[in-house]
Amino acid sequence: MKRFVYINDDSCRYSYCDNRISNTKYTLWNFLPKNLWEQFRRFMNQYFLLIACLQLWSRITPVSPATTWGPLIIIFIVSASKEAWDDYNRYLSDKKANERKIWLVKNGIHRQIKAQEIHVGDVVWLHENDEIPCDLVLIGTSDPQGICYVETAALDGETDLKTRIIPPISANLSVEQLGKVKGVVECPNPDNDIRRFDANMRLFLPIIDNEKCPLTINNTLLQSCYLRYTEWACGVAVYTGNETKSGMSRGAAEPKLTAADAIIDKLTIAIFMFQIVVVLVLGYFGNAWKYTEGLKQWYLMYPVEGEAPWYDFSIIPLRFELLCSIMIPISIKVTLDLAKGVYAKFIDWDEQMFDWETNTPAHSANTAISEDLGQVEYILSDKTGTLTENKMILKRCCISDTSYGNDNGDQLNDVRLVNAISSNDPDVIKFLLVMALCNTVVPIKSNDDTVSYKAQSQDEEALVNAAANLNMMLISKDSSTAEICFNGSKFRYELLDILEFTSDRKRMSVVVKEGQTGKILLLSKGADEALLPRACPGQQIQRYLEAAEMYSQLGLRTLCLGWRDLKESEYKEWSKNFQEASCSLDNREFKIAEVCHSLERDLHILGVTAIEDRLQDGVPETIKLLRNAGINVWMLTGDKQNTAIQIGLLCNLITSGPGFESRSPRIAQAGVRLATDTLPQTPHRAGALCTGGKTEEDILRSLERALLIMKNTSETKDLAFVLDGWALEIILKHSKESFTRLAMLSKTGICCRMTPLQKAQLVAILKSAGYLTLAIGDGGNDVRMIQEANIGVGISGREGLQAARAADYSIGKFKFLKRLILIHGRYSYNRTAFISQYSFYKSLLICFIQIMFAFLSGLSGTSLFNSISLMAYNVFYTSLPVMTIIFDKDISETTVMQYPQILLHSQAGRLLNPATFCGWFGRSLYHALVVFFITISAYSDEKSEMQELSMVALSGCIWLQAFVVTMDTNSFTYPQILLIWGNFVAFYMINLILSAIPSLQLYTIMFRLCSQPSYWISMALTVAVGMGPVVAFRYFKNLYQPSAINILKQIEQSNGSIQTSGNLESARAKLTNLLTGSRKIRDSNYHPLLSDSAESAR
């Protein structure tokens, strides 16, 4: 579908929406029904609403409806208030943007309007530093060459300025004509692709002839960007309001379900099924007792036979359903959401993750998945800017079979190169000219006439700076010309066409015309595998192949440069085809690529450049630590295979042993190559399995061989597989399952020449196998990978903020990843595991007491506890103490970093799984038995009131939960002590106050109990019997079968003192055996964390 935008035509301006922006989710009228609908879409809320509605039926409810309606309404109000506040802030932001003043030009008259009043087809006039209010097609600027600069950081996160140029059709329009221009823009319907705009424009007579002019994204000014270093610019509005590319890109991200959340959901379903069974069993026996014994008891006042309603048989089961509904804790979601919000703040506040070099703090954009950080199984990392600094420096080069660069790798100080330039060696001069001209770099001249460069690519900036340092300086550039200064002489070149770089072509070219001779030249640069096959017949390229291999083995990034003279007739014919392809609205990108392909041939290869991109500080140590923690680390990069392998060696992804070598895919194409020749005989030495080949059959055969070696080699986790993008494409098409098995067997993967789509495909493969993945990158090409992963981490780097904006977490440097995972992730998982299981424990405890009381009340479904006590128990008495775990640390941060293998426990889900939940389930049942029988034994005589019995049982529950939280707390702080024991004191204060109100059932109850010694003896006995076996069990288990955590605590407490040095060494030896055993069990029978297999329940 197409859109026709008529410029300055009032009759068509209302055909499309105005420029009013609306990011709000609700209106004043639909807020209540829409918010309630969203909240009731959750199964748990539906369940509790059903229970609350059943409690309104007075015939069946054992307690007041307030026990469920109260907490439910509180939860709904909290959630609705948060939604309303967030939406109100969005409304204020929209209002500010909509009412911003904008200059409009109509029939030559400038007038100011609100931004929301702009319509499609209007001509908008912008001034320097203005924010662009809608998507515009640029038609004029203050620059004589038709250039303007825009800052796109708010749109794509990239911090470098972008150059935008006016289309040739409007190049000669005066300022007066711009205000009266008429024409039509033919463009696609609105979409969210900020990298692409395939359109055409025609201007109507009498201003210019009716020629069609192609438009690209470089001719647009997009909403949310800013005009910089340009006095004014004007453009035609083509997309407005929420139909702009920025508006179409907005939208709520899909919520991510953590592994812990998945376990909690399964446990909730299991408890629900258990509850149904309990209700049916108790309901059956309750009806049986009613018809055999209950009808005989006159004081129960059951209706006589024949007068009972038809549904009488369901009343007792429904009463038990209401009584047992508290098995599923109503407050668990709010409690976990609050805890996760605090986890996110801990990340934001962590000063040890603050990057002082760039003044960048760590930031958590997603507050819901912090515990997943502690269960990461695979890390897939970009290389450039993520593992490396993304500060490019040209170190070596090869020109005309001669390699330049001294022992220090600095080609700028190579005397031979300096002499070649001084003697005007033609190949060297051409080489430098391609470096200076074949790019999208923008030179900016300061007041003191010094020239600096703005570039979207750090490689291009490195090449242009190197050329300038070698006397080939790019001093000015606009849309049509470029000026070079070489050895004091200036040379002017006309820029005829730019053949832009794409990830598919892996090269870019420019067509220039020499100002002095009029010769037309094609200048090209690109990856060696993209450019060398396009060399002119007869040229010897073996030397360049060897140079590229040598440089890549040094870990340098390589590019090849080429040159071709074009005949004018050939260029004119090609230019016509290029123009037609550029004007096409269907498959424009493919057609342009085909036309570019036809010109980029018979190139004279000038040489190879080698650019250094140093590793970031702390990268090798971080990767080593993460691998020791049991995390599989993959590197995904667009670099050559040998460059990627060398970087893998430098950053501890691959461990080189004797005989290590890395072969070129050209030298050893077919079959599987081992980077360690002796690996099958010495499997303990790490190496790289390179999968590739010349043909599809070779690649698939090498994959099967690699898989066979992995299966038959002991300690396969020390092997890394290496493959490139083309091999991956073939493998995913023909043998995806075999590759998945290979990936599962290998601890390390190095994937080179990867496109952004392929990076995301690799993440998807691991996710589909059930593994919990983390993707980390720093550039726009990493966004798809980051969004695909379970956890996305963006680095705020030199490539901008696009990756950081799209990620769940952003950090300043890769080295902070170890702290994000090992400290914040592990602590968050431990805390979530306790909070979730404790929430079930406290609810099951009170529910089991209710069930036991049913056997003393004729299985009638009568509640032991009054309505106020039940509501307060869930909302106040037991919710605050559990929040103390938010501050808890089982072992210190230093110990975690010293023994990163301890992460295996959270990776394997050791603290939250069906087995641990059964432990909490059993504890709740045991504690319920203790509380019930001690209470009944002490207060079951005729002198005791029902309310006294209820309060004694409730007090026993409060005492037990206080000691349970205290025992499971590993570190104590003032907030923790205040919340646990302050809440304990508050329980008595609240009930003493309620006991003083005559109208309540609790009147005088607590005063009487507190004055009775039997009450305090009962409480002491409850704690002793309830906690004694638990304490004893833990003591003997820690003594005779300590866990790794217990041993680490022992090491921490000893502090390595001389007196305990023998025990300390023994403990450390035992710890090593435990962790090694955990790794062996994990590696030999390893199942994905998120797999549905029975074995992975872990």
Side-chain angles (χ1 to χ4, degrees):
M1 297 291 291
K2 299 178 182 178
R3 164 179 288 200
F4 293 91
V5 177
Y6 291 90
I7 305 172
N8 268 330
D9 190 337
D10 289 338
S11 63
C12 301
R13 70 194 306 259
Y14 296 103
S15 301
Y16 306 105
C17 68
D18 61 17
N19 199 43
R20 186 185 303 273
I21 297 171
S22 179
N23 293 305
T24 55
K25 191 176 180 180
Y26 307 100
T27 66
L28 190 62
W29 310 110
N30 72 7
F31 173 77
L32 188 60
K34 189 173 181 179
N35 183 261
L36 288 176
W37 166 253
E38 288 189 353
Q39 295 206 50
F40 283 124
R41 288 170 63 185
R42 302 168 187 154
F43 167 75
M44 195 171 286
N45 287 347
Q46 294 173 6
Y47 169 78
F48 285 116
L49 179 64
L50 174 64
I51 296 299
C53 291
L54 286 175
Q55 284 186 340
L56 296 175
W57 189 3
S58 60
R59 188 177 178 86
I60 67 170
T61 181
V63 292
S64 168
T67 58
T68 300
W69 280 105
L72 194 62
I73 289 172
I74 290 174
I75 290 171
F76 282 164
I77 289 175
V78 170
S79 299
S81 300
K82 180 180 181 299
E83 286 285 319
W85 177 253
D86 291 343
D87 210 52
Y88 179 67
N89 286 328
R90 287 191 289 266
Y91 164 76
L92 293 179
S93 177
D94 291 345
K95 183 180 180 183
K96 182 179 179 181
N98 289 329
E99 295 182 355
R100 191 159 38 91
K101 296 298 183 180
I102 298 296
W103 286 98
L104 203 69
V105 184
K106 178 73 71 174
N107 297 323
I109 300 174
H110 291 242
R111 62 189 181 93
Q112 228 178 11
I113 62 170
K114 292 181 179 179
Q116 65 188 19
E117 297 172 359
I118 299 173
H119 285 80
V120 170
D122 289 344
V123 176
V124 178
W125 202 278
L126 302 169
H127 296 87
E128 185 176 3
N129 296 325
D130 278 353
E131 182 181 353
I132 299 165
C134 60
D135 290 351
L136 308 172
V137 169
L138 187 65
I139 60 173
T141 76
S142 57
D143 186 86
Q145 303 300 327
I147 291 178
C148 70
Y149 302 101
V150 292
E151 179 187 296
T152 62
L155 184 66
D156 58 17
E158 297 181 4
T159 54
D160 291 322
L161 295 180
K162 307 291 192 307
T163 303
R164 295 292 182 257
I165 58 175
I166 62 175
I169 196 172
S170 60
N172 298 319
L173 297 181
S174 64
V175 174
E176 292 77 13
Q177 289 176 319
L178 288 173
K180 301 176 182 179
V181 67
K182 298 281 186 179
V184 62
V185 177
E186 181 185 5
C187 59
N189 278 336
D191 59 51
N192 62 357
D193 190 348
I194 62 174
R195 306 289 179 186
R196 186 171 179 177
F197 181 70
D198 298 338
N200 298 316
M201 183 169 70
R202 287 181 291 131
L203 298 183
F204 298 153
L205 295 172
I207 292 179
I208 201 165
D209 59 11
N210 205 14
E211 178 187 356
K212 183 187 288 187
C213 175
L215 303 175
T216 69
I217 197 68
N218 292 326
N219 304 123
T220 63
L221 302 175
L222 300 184
Q223 185 191 57
S224 301
C225 300
Y226 287 84
L227 187 69
R228 302 295 191 199
Y229 301 112
T230 306
E231 185 179 345
W232 60 263
C234 66
V236 179
V238 287
Y239 302 129
T240 51
N242 287 345
E243 292 185 344
T244 63
K245 289 184 179 290
S246 173
M248 298 288 284
S249 300
R250 299 187 193 107
E254 287 294 322
K256 294 183 176 181
L257 181 70
T258 67
D261 287 335
I263 293 291
I264 292 170
D265 287 347
K266 292 176 182 177
L267 295 176
T268 302
I269 294 172
I271 289 294
F272 178 71
M273 299 304 295
F274 172 74
Q275 174 187 318
I276 295 298
V277 172
V278 170
V279 167
L280 291 176
V281 171
L282 292 178
Y284 172 78
F285 286 106
N287 278 323
W289 187 89
K290 172 184 173 182
Y291 291 115
T292 56
E293 299 292 335
L295 293 176
K296 300 175 183 178
Q297 311 299 326
W298 62 268
Y299 55 85
L300 294 178
M301 293 185 293
Y302 283 122
V304 273
E305 239 179 290
E307 296 182 6
W310 62 269
Y311 54 80
D312 189 58
F313 72 94
S314 65
I315 290 178
I316 290 180
L318 287 175
R319 288 175 67 86
F320 275 114
E321 171 61 32
L322 297 179
L323 206 62
C324 296
S325 64
I326 58 174
M327 277 189 182
I328 300 176
I330 192 172
S331 60
I332 186 172
K333 184 181 183 303
V334 172
T335 304
L336 285 175
D337 285 347
L338 178 60
K340 291 178 180 183
V342 177
Y343 302 159
K345 286 300 179 184
F346 286 160
I347 294 173
D348 294 346
W349 296 335
D350 192 340
E351 293 185 357
Q352 294 187 51
M353 292 173 63
F354 189 91
D355 184 17
W356 295 100
E357 183 181 342
T358 59
N359 203 32
T360 304
H363 175 62
S364 173
N366 189 338
T367 61
I369 61 173
S370 295
E371 62 267 27
D372 261 359
L373 287 167
Q375 296 191 279
V376 169
E377 296 167 288
Y378 277 84
I379 293 176
L380 297 96
S381 174
D382 174 46
K383 182 185 77 69
T384 305
T386 304
L387 301 178
T388 62
E389 294 180 344
N390 203 15
K391 296 178 180 178
M392 311 294 187
I393 302 173
L394 184 65
K395 284 293 185 181
R396 295 174 182 265
C397 64
C398 177
I399 309 173
S400 298
D401 299 340
T402 304
S403 291
Y404 297 100
N406 55 31
D407 293 337
N408 295 325
D410 190 353
Q411 56 89 26
L412 298 178
N413 294 327
D414 195 315
V415 177
R416 295 173 300 155
L417 181 60
V418 175
N419 292 337
I421 296 172
S422 302
S423 61
N424 289 328
D425 185 303
D427 285 338
V428 174
I429 302 304
K430 289 179 180 178
F431 186 87
L432 295 178
L433 186 62
V434 175
M435 287 172 56
L437 282 180
C438 187
N439 52 64
T440 57
V441 171
V442 178
I444 297 177
K445 188 173 290 188
S446 61
N447 294 331
D448 58 356
D449 289 334
T450 58
V451 178
S452 59
Y453 300 107
K454 283 285 184 180
Q456 299 179 35
S457 165
Q458 303 299 323
D459 295 85
E460 288 190 340
E461 185 178 354
L463 292 177
V464 174
N465 277 319
N469 290 331
L470 293 170
N471 297 329
M472 184 71 71
M473 179 177 288
L474 176 65
I475 57 176
S476 67
K477 189 178 184 181
D478 55 41
S479 60
S480 58
T481 60
E483 193 171 11
I484 297 289
C485 179
F486 179 65
N487 286 338
S489 301
K490 293 183 179 179
F491 302 89
R492 191 177 183 84
Y493 292 86
E494 184 180 350
L495 302 177
L496 300 179
D497 290 290
I498 297 178
L499 286 60
E500 295 183 350
F501 172 88
T502 66
S503 58
D504 294 326
R505 294 176 59 241
K506 296 182 181 178
R507 60 183 180 272
M508 79 158 291
S509 302
V510 295
V511 181
V512 300
K513 186 175 184 179
E514 288 185 339
Q516 294 178 338
T517 64
K519 290 175 61 178
I520 300 177
L521 307 172
L522 173 69
L523 312 180
S524 301
K525 78 168 187 296
D528 52 335
E529 72 270 20
L531 216 64
L532 292 179
R534 316 192 73 76
C536 58
Q539 183 179 7
Q540 295 297 320
I541 61 172
Q542 184 62 33
R543 178 70 184 97
Y544 299 125
L545 281 170
E546 294 172 355
E549 290 304 322
M550 179 183 68
Y551 295 151
S552 65
Q553 289 180 15
L554 295 173
L556 303 176
R557 299 161 60 91
T558 59
L559 284 173
C560 288
L561 308 185
W563 165 300
R564 183 160 83 92
D565 291 328
L566 298 178
K567 295 180 181 179
E568 189 168 351
S569 58
E570 178 188 8
Y571 169 72
K572 286 183 177 180
E573 182 180 353
W574 176 86
S575 181
K576 181 181 178 181
N577 296 333
F578 186 68
Q579 180 75 4
E580 290 177 359
S582 300
C583 291
S584 173
L585 295 183
D586 298 322
N587 295 322
R588 177 185 288 189
E589 189 173 349
F590 174 78
K591 292 177 180 178
I592 289 177
E594 288 293 311
V595 175
C596 293
H597 186 80
S598 66
L599 188 69
E600 295 167 325
R601 56 179 176 79
D602 299 335
L603 295 171
H604 174 65
I605 304 301
L606 297 172
V608 181
T609 63
I611 298 173
E612 180 189 55
D613 186 13
R614 294 180 180 176
L615 284 178
Q616 289 183 19
D617 178 46
V619 166
E621 296 81 3
T622 299
I623 290 180
K624 182 179 180 180
L625 200 69
L626 293 173
R627 293 185 69 193
N628 288 339
I631 300 175
N632 304 325
V633 184
W634 289 15
M635 182 174 70
L636 315 181
T637 177
D639 283 343
K640 285 172 57 62
Q641 180 171 293
N642 280 345
T643 302
I645 291 176
Q646 184 63 29
I647 295 297
L649 283 166
L650 293 175
C651 65
N652 282 330
L653 275 175
I654 304 174
T655 307
S656 63
F660 183 89
E661 62 176 346
S662 53
R663 296 187 178 92
S664 163
R666 299 182 186 82
I667 298 171
Q669 282 285 350
V672 179
R673 283 111 47 212
L674 282 172
T676 304
D677 290 345
T678 59
L679 190 57
Q681 290 76 31
T682 56
H684 62 283
R685 299 191 186 281
L689 282 169
C690 301
T691 306
K694 293 181 178 179
T695 64
E696 291 186 8
E697 291 75 14
D698 288 341
I699 291 173
L700 297 177
R701 195 180 302 115
S702 71
L703 174 64
E704 294 302 325
R705 290 177 181 171
L707 188 58
L708 184 63
I709 291 174
M710 282 286 190
K711 288 180 177 178
N712 295 333
T713 304
S714 61
E715 297 188 21
T716 57
K717 291 292 179 177
D718 286 334
L719 283 177
F721 73 87
V722 182
L723 83 164
D724 59 23
W726 183 65
L728 178 64
E729 185 178 344
I730 301 300
I731 288 170
L732 294 184
K733 185 177 180 181
H734 298 287
S735 191
K736 184 176 179 180
E737 291 184 3
S738 295
F739 175 73
T740 303
R741 290 198 298 271
L742 176 66
M744 293 168 65
L745 287 170
S746 176
K747 186 171 184 178
T748 302
I750 295 180
C751 306
C752 46
R753 295 305 192 197
M754 290 286 115
T755 64
L757 175 61
Q758 288 176 323
K759 291 181 178 182
Q761 286 175 331
L762 287 170
V763 175
I765 287 173
L766 292 171
K767 281 181 64 180
S768 66
Y771 292 102
L772 204 154
T773 59
L774 180 149
I776 179 169
D778 73 315
N781 61 336
D782 302 316
V783 168
R784 296 183 71 168
M785 170 180 73
I786 285 172
Q787 292 177 334
E788 180 66 34
N790 299 98
I791 305 170
V793 178
I795 289 184
S796 306
R798 292 172 60 85
E799 288 189 32
L801 301 173
Q802 191 172 0
R805 289 175 184 271
D808 302 303
Y809 301 92
S810 62
I811 54 179
K813 291 284 191 299
F814 183 85
K815 65 182 179 181
F816 299 137
L817 189 62
K818 62 185 177 185
R819 187 168 176 82
L820 184 67
I821 292 175
L822 294 175
I823 302 301
H824 294 285
R826 184 179 172 278
Y827 285 155
S828 296
Y829 169 76
N830 291 356
R831 295 159 180 167
T832 297
F834 178 85
I835 291 172
S836 56
Q837 292 176 116
Y838 172 82
S839 297
F840 280 103
Y841 157 80
K842 69 183 181 66
S843 296
L844 287 168
L845 171 62
I846 205 82
C847 188
F848 282 142
I849 294 175
Q850 295 273 52
I851 292 172
M852 293 173 192
F853 180 73
F855 289 95
L856 297 183
S857 57
L859 292 170
S860 60
T862 302
S863 174
L864 171 63
F865 303 101
N866 61 63
S867 302
I868 295 177
S869 296
L870 280 177
M871 185 170 63
Y873 178 82
N874 275 319
V875 178
F876 302 110
Y877 299 154
T878 58
S879 294
L880 290 178
V882 73
M883 299 308 293
T884 62
I885 299 298
I886 292 176
F887 308 98
D888 192 47
K889 296 179 180 181
D890 55 348
I891 52 178
S892 68
E893 297 178 5
T894 304
T895 303
V896 174
M897 289 297 187
Q898 188 176 355
Y899 298 94
Q901 302 94 324
I902 201 64
L903 188 70
L904 291 167
H905 283 246
S906 56
Q907 268 187 341
R910 296 281 183 84
L911 299 182
L912 178 58
N913 56 57
T916 59
F917 182 77
C918 286
W920 282 94
F921 185 92
R923 191 193 301 192
S924 65
L925 179 58
Y926 172 69
H927 283 172
L929 288 168
V930 170
V931 171
F932 182 74
F933 283 108
I934 290 178
T935 301
I936 293 299
S937 299
Y939 285 88
S940 60
D941 55 66
E942 295 179 357
K943 296 180 181 179
S944 300
E945 296 183 17
M946 179 75 168
Q947 293 300 327
E948 285 184 329
L949 195 70
S950 170
M951 185 55 68
V952 172
L954 183 66
S955 299
C957 293
I958 299 300
W959 278 68
L960 282 176
Q961 66 88 22
F963 278 94
V964 165
V965 175
T966 302
M967 275 192 59
D968 282 85
T969 300
N970 297 283
S971 57
F972 287 97
T973 60
Y974 288 115
Q976 289 172 292
I977 296 172
L978 179 64
L979 284 174
I980 296 174
W981 297 105
N983 184 78
F984 181 80
V985 173
F987 165 75
Y988 281 97
M989 297 298 296
I990 291 172
N991 281 284
L992 285 171
I993 293 172
L994 294 176
S995 296
I997 302 175
S999 60
L1000 297 180
Q1001 293 177 332
L1002 294 175
Y1003 183 56
T1004 71
I1005 294 296
M1006 186 56 77
F1007 290 108
R1008 278 185 281 163
L1009 288 176
C1010 290
S1011 63
Q1012 298 171 4
S1014 59
Y1015 171 78
W1016 300 107
I1017 293 173
S1018 297
M1019 294 302 102
L1021 194 60
T1022 298
V1023 173
V1025 177
M1027 300 305 299
V1030 177
V1031 174
F1033 173 77
R1034 289 189 179 183
Y1035 173 77
F1036 287 110
K1037 185 177 184 298
N1038 295 345
L1039 185 63
Y1040 297 108
Q1041 196 179 0
S1043 67
I1045 298 293
N1046 300 133
I1047 296 175
L1048 287 175
K1049 288 179 181 178
Q1050 179 186 346
I1051 292 174
E1052 283 186 341
Q1053 292 169 0
S1054 66
N1055 290 322
S1057 59
I1058 299 174
Q1059 291 82 357
T1060 60
S1061 60
N1063 294 334
L1064 185 63
E1065 291 304 319
S1066 174
R1068 282 179 173 159
K1070 199 166 188 177
L1071 174 66
T1072 303
N1073 292 333
L1074 275 174
L1075 295 177
T1076 304
S1078 297
R1079 182 182 294 279
K1080 286 181 178 179
I1081 293 171
R1082 177 184 185 274
D1083 291 349
S1084 61
N1085 189 26
Y1086 187 60
H1087 299 277
L1089 179 67
L1090 301 179
S1091 171
D1092 291 328
S1093 65
E1095 294 87 355
S1096 66
R1098 303 207 294 279

